[in-house]
């Protein structure tokens, strides 16, 4: 029963991941998210058996059934990643395992976290592919962040603290955006940083921001050394903000204790 439930959660995540692929490809291009999926090359409408999460890609050997063009590895990757993340969050809160003692509160918290990481996945791949972050996904992330706080005894004072935390965390990104005239940072990065500050608070928000800058710097240097990017090439910063936010969201308390302990605080 336990293994069946874990497989079921993974499969639900993979199905959601299939939908996230639609959002990743269509929202940055201002396309409707409704309507039948079609091949990117021959534009042939795909049948239901071409859209089974993960399995269809490998059954078709990574090629379109109709024109035999290669299908992007993004599609199974997002589905597998979403399934794994959903399962990890599910296991972290031990919903229904080994019994029902977790209660409805934990179940709601898991649903909210699933929503947050789904937004993160869309932002990550959309920014990598198109250097754009959809306003719809940013609004969804903000709403899920608000629900996350409401699920942990939120009040007006805490709301004001998290609200100003968003402004504080967004300010460095906005300053870079303003001084570089949008060449180094996009407005989407500013909004994303503000929402992450609202979600994490100012302390964890700065930790996520610091981690994002370190990862971005290391990756940028790596790409330049190996000739994949030039010094003036534009590198999406949203994915690094997402990675920093995920690390701090789930392991922030432990990291904060280590940092404060290092400085004797």
């Amino acid at each position: 029963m336990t293994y069946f439930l874990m497989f079921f959660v993974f499969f639900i995540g993979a199905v959601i991941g299939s939908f996230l692929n639609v959002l990743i490809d269509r929202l940055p291009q201002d396309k409707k998210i409704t309507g039948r999926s079609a091949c990117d090359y021959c534009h042939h409408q795909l049948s239901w058996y071409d859209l089974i999460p993960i399995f269809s890609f490998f059954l078709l050997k990574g090629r379109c059934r109709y024109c035999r063009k290669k299908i992007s590895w993004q599609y199974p990757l997002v589905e597998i990643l979403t399934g794994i993340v959903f399962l990890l969050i599910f296991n972290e809160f031990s919903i229904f395992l080994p019994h029902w003692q977790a209660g409805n509160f934990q179940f709601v918290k898991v649903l909210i976290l699933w929503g947050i990481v789904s937004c993160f996945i869309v932002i990550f791949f959309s920014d990598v592919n198109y250097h754009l972050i959809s306003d719809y996904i940013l609004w969804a992330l903000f709403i899920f962040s608000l629900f996350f706080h409401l699920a942990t005894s939120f009040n007006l004072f805490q709301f004001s603290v998290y609200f100003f935390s968003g402004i504080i965390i967004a300010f460095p990104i906005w300053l870079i955006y303003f001084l570089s005239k949008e060449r180094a940072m996009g407005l989407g990065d500013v909004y994303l940083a503000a929402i992450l500050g609202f979600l994490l608070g100012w302390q964890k928000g700065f930790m996520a921001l610091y981690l994002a800058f370190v990862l971005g710097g290391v990756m940028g240097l790596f790409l330049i050394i190996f000739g994949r990017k030039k010094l003036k090439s534009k590198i999406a910063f949203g994915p690094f903000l997402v990675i920093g936010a995920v690390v701090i969201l789930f392991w922030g308390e432990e990291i904060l204790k280590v940092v404060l302990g290092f400085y004797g605080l």
Side-chain angles (χ1 to χ4, degrees), residues 6 41-42 137 147 169 179 191 209 215 224 253:
M6 292 174 67
Y41 300 100
C42 65
I137 295 300
F147 286 158
I169 300 304
L179 295 177
Y191 293 145
L209 200 60
L215 291 173
I224 291 171
E253 290 293 339

Side-chain angles (χ1 to χ4, degrees), residues 111-129:
L111 291 178
I112 294 169
L113 286 171
W114 282 355
I116 289 173
V117 297
S118 294
C119 292
F120 282 157
I121 290 171
V122 174
I123 291 169
F124 184 100
F125 285 94
S126 293
D127 207 12
V128 167
N129 292 341

Side-chain angles (χ1 to χ4, degrees), residues 56-64 68-72:
S56 290
F57 179 86
F58 292 103
L59 288 174
L60 293 170
K61 297 180 180 179
R63 293 183 179 272
C64 172
R68 306 309 299 167
K69 293 284 188 180
K70 286 186 178 180
I71 303 171
S72 172

Side-chain angles (χ1 to χ4, degrees), residues 5-67:
L5 188 56
M6 292 174 67
F7 174 79
F8 178 74
V9 171
F10 175 83
F11 181 72
I12 291 297
V15 171
I16 298 297
S18 182
F19 176 67
L20 297 185
N21 273 317
V22 174
L23 300 181
I24 290 167
D25 286 336
R26 298 189 188 184
L27 287 180
Q29 302 182 73
D30 290 326
K31 293 181 179 179
K32 293 182 179 180
I33 63 173
T34 55
R36 296 281 297 277
S37 295
C39 173
D40 294 332
Y41 300 100
C42 65
H43 305 294
H44 193 290
Q45 284 192 350
L46 303 180
S47 302
W48 65 268
Y49 44 80
D50 297 321
L51 299 170
I52 301 173
I54 304 172
F55 295 104
S56 290
F57 179 86
F58 292 103
L59 288 174
L60 293 170
K61 297 180 180 179
R63 293 183 179 272
C64 172
R65 183 187 301 275
Y66 308 99
C67 67

Side-chain angles (χ1 to χ4, degrees), residues 25 28 66 72 74 77 85 89 146 149 162 169 175 186 193-194 198 236 240 249:
D25 286 336
Y66 308 99
S72 172
Q74 171 195 302
L77 177 61
V85 171
I89 292 173
L146 180 59
H149 290 309
Y162 285 117
I169 300 304
L175 194 60
F198 176 78
F240 301 109
L249 178 63

Side-chain angles (χ1 to χ4, degrees), residues 89 109 112-120 123 137-152 154 158-170 190-208 241-253:
I89 292 173
K109 196 169 184 178
I112 294 169
L113 286 171
W114 282 355
I116 289 173
V117 297
S118 294
C119 292
F120 282 157
I123 291 169
I137 295 300
L138 290 173
W139 273 110
L141 180 58
F142 173 74
I143 292 170
F144 280 121
S145 300
L146 180 59
F147 286 158
F148 179 78
H149 290 309
L150 290 174
T152 53
F154 202 43
Q158 289 175 320
F159 177 84
S160 62
V161 170
Y162 285 117
F163 177 81
F164 285 107
S165 295
I167 295 175
I168 293 169
I169 300 304
V190 179
Y191 293 145
L192 176 57
I195 296 171
L196 295 182
F198 176 78
L199 172 63
L200 301 171
W202 68 271
Q203 283 182 313
K204 292 181 181 178
F206 272 122
M207 291 167 58
L241 283 173
V242 165
I243 294 172
V246 169
V247 171
I248 299 304
L249 178 63
F250 292 103
W251 299 285
E253 290 293 339

